[in-house]
Amino acid sequence: MAIAAPITRRLVADFAAQRPRTERPPVMDELTAREREVFAHLARGHSNAEVAAELVLSIETVKSHVAEILRKLGLRDRVQVVVFAHDHGLTDLGDHA
């Protein structure tokens, strides 16, 4: 069963707000500058199409960046990216994490 993106964003934000935050993990340094930009968008719950439009990338390129972000951070899916961002205080992403 799929959940609409706005509902998923709200659920994850509500859940993450209740969890204690930790320091920015060193593993974030393994991401390239572009991966950090994509991470910032994922942390806000944006879809691949939204990320592609905002960063002027193809959807396939965004998918590649998402796969690398998940691999490097040891995360299973996009929802875990949002929780990870909230857990580590990476929700103020003006500097792209």
Side-chain angles (χ1 to χ4, degrees):
M1 175 171 94
I3 300 175
I7 294 171
T8 301
R9 288 181 205 143
R10 184 171 172 209
L11 287 171
V12 171
D14 289 349
F15 172 74
Q18 298 173 19
R19 297 182 65 168
R21 293 179 182 205
T22 61
E23 291 185 25
R24 181 179 182 267
V27 71
M28 288 299 293
D29 295 334
E30 294 183 26
L31 300 182
T32 66
R34 182 59 98 179
E35 288 168 349
R36 286 191 300 274
E37 287 180 303
V38 173
F39 175 91
H41 286 277
L42 297 178
R44 293 184 201 115
H46 295 172
S47 68
N48 288 348
E50 291 169 325
V51 176
E54 181 68 26
L55 298 179
V56 192
L57 299 170
S58 73
I59 290 180
E60 290 305 315
T61 299
V62 172
K63 287 179 182 179
S64 293
H65 286 309
V66 170
E68 278 301 295
I69 291 165
L70 294 175
R71 184 187 67 75
K72 288 178 179 180
L73 298 181
L75 303 174
R76 183 179 57 244
D77 55 36
R78 303 166 73 92
V79 173
Q80 284 192 333
V81 171
V82 176
V83 173
F84 180 91
H86 282 272
D87 282 353
H88 296 286
L90 301 172
T91 55
D92 180 18
L93 299 168
D95 65 352
H96 301 297

